[in-house]
Amino acid sequence: MSATEDEIISIGLPYFRVVQPKTSTAAFSESSYLRLGSYIVGAAEEDSLLTGLKTTTSTVSETNKSAIDQAGDAIKNEKGDPAKDFNATSQSTKVYTTTPSAPILSSNNGALIYTDSDLQMNVLGAALQKYGKGNNVEVTTADAAYNVKAGKYDLSAANGVFIKGGTKDAPANIELTAGGYIKQTAYGDLDEVTYGITTKRFHGIANDFFMGLKNNFFFGLETSVKLAGMISIIMSAEASFRLSTRFSLTVSKDLNISLGGVLNIFVGEKMDIIVGGDLKGVIGTSVKIVMGPDTKMATNDTKILTATDIKMAPVGDLKKVGVNLTVCEFDLKVEMAAIKGGEMAAQKKTMQSTVTTLATEFGSAYFTTKTINIYG
């Protein structure tokens, strides 16, 4: 039935209806309409006034993932919708599946409010609302805003909270801004998926506490620039495997202090180029084993020992020098075979004569009591 001037207020059992039409021949959809109770007669005329929204009830179940499923998660989505293949917050070891029930249709009984214009409510006191079978709000053509100017806003859901911005074909943003701090706590798994550029800016102090197993897989180029001091303390074993070339540039002092043993194993060639001084101090025993030729080139070589110097060369000891000067208190030399040229023997006698003359002229007790052997 259509709304007329005589039907502005209709009272009957079991409903109460108020209609304010724009014209005397206006339909219900061209009016402000209020109905209390169950509408019995002419219900089809109210079809255009209904929202058409539905509610559901959801449950959450937890299952463990297989190792194959965990390995396939990294490539499963192929840069599509981040929520496409994952039903809840975790894709690592467990799956939390949210299962909604079949849509719950409204009986359309009770209170029905409709207006073809704006609906304004101004409540100076508190507005208390309680819904027994769900709450579904839809904004069709404009933005929605909810402001709490003095107080706090609590949102709690027993079976999960899902916030989505846009769609895969029409993406949108989600922004969180806190004037104080943001706290995030996960008593289960925490999963973060990002497709695109990630930018983090931090000003202050960062503390990371980690207990457990941590795996990092990085494919691509990584650049790290640190303009301040860094202290790294490792209280357990550390293993590093590198299958590529490593380039390290240090433009300041490099200090390494090890309070335990250090074992370096190189399979291949190693080259050290030092521009400047090289100082090595060893307090204890120093052992060097070379399974192959050992070549050393230097302008000057100085070696100062406080005890014994032992050198063993089973095959041969070849040395070519300009001047050989040896001063010793005791000289023991065993020669299985010796070849000395006559010219070298003559030069030896000449040098021995010169040393004896110097000892006589200067009266040096050192030269007169020591034996000097010069081998040609």
Side-chain angles (χ1 to χ4, degrees), residues 139-154:
V139 180
T140 57
T141 59
D143 297 334
Y146 191 90
N147 298 322
V148 181
K149 294 185 177 181
K152 67 175 182 177
Y153 174 65
D154 291 334

Side-chain angles (χ1 to χ4, degrees), residues 175-242:
E175 297 186 7
L176 298 177
T177 303
Y181 77 104
I182 295 178
K183 180 180 180 180
Q184 179 178 268
T185 303
Y187 293 105
D189 296 333
L190 175 63
D191 180 42
E192 295 182 359
V193 179
T194 302
Y195 298 100
I197 299 175
T198 300
T199 302
K200 292 184 179 181
R201 296 181 178 89
F202 185 86
H203 303 276
I205 300 175
N207 298 318
D208 292 335
F209 300 93
F210 186 88
M211 297 180 62
L213 176 62
K214 183 176 182 181
N215 297 319
N216 291 328
F217 300 94
F218 186 89
F219 302 93
L221 176 63
E222 180 179 11
T223 302
S224 178
V225 179
K226 297 181 180 180
L227 304 179
M230 183 183 70
I231 298 176
S232 178
I233 301 176
I234 300 175
M235 306 298 294
S236 61
E238 180 184 12
S240 177
F241 300 93
R242 184 178 291 106

Side-chain angles (χ1 to χ4, degrees), residues 264-270:
N264 294 324
I265 299 176
F266 295 92
V267 180
E269 297 180 354
K270 179 184 177 183

Side-chain angles (χ1 to χ4, degrees), residues 278-356:
D278 183 17
L279 176 61
K280 178 182 179 182
V282 178
I283 302 176
T285 303
S286 177
V287 179
K288 178 181 179 183
I289 300 175
V290 179
M291 306 298 293
D294 185 11
T295 304
K296 176 180 178 182
M297 299 179 62
T299 302
N300 295 305
D301 185 14
T302 301
K303 182 169 65 173
I304 301 175
L305 302 175
T306 60
T308 304
D309 182 17
I310 300 175
K311 181 174 68 172
M312 299 179 63
V315 178
D317 183 14
L318 305 178
K319 179 172 65 174
K320 185 180 183 302
V321 299
V323 177
N324 184 13
L325 176 62
T326 302
V327 179
C328 65
E329 296 183 358
F330 178 79
D331 184 15
L332 174 61
K333 182 178 181 181
V334 179
E335 295 180 350
M336 303 301 297
I339 301 176
K340 299 180 180 180
E343 182 179 1
M344 296 297 296
Q347 292 180 358
K348 173 184 176 182
K349 292 181 179 181
T350 303
M351 295 182 67
Q352 288 178 341
S353 176
T354 303
V355 172
T356 303

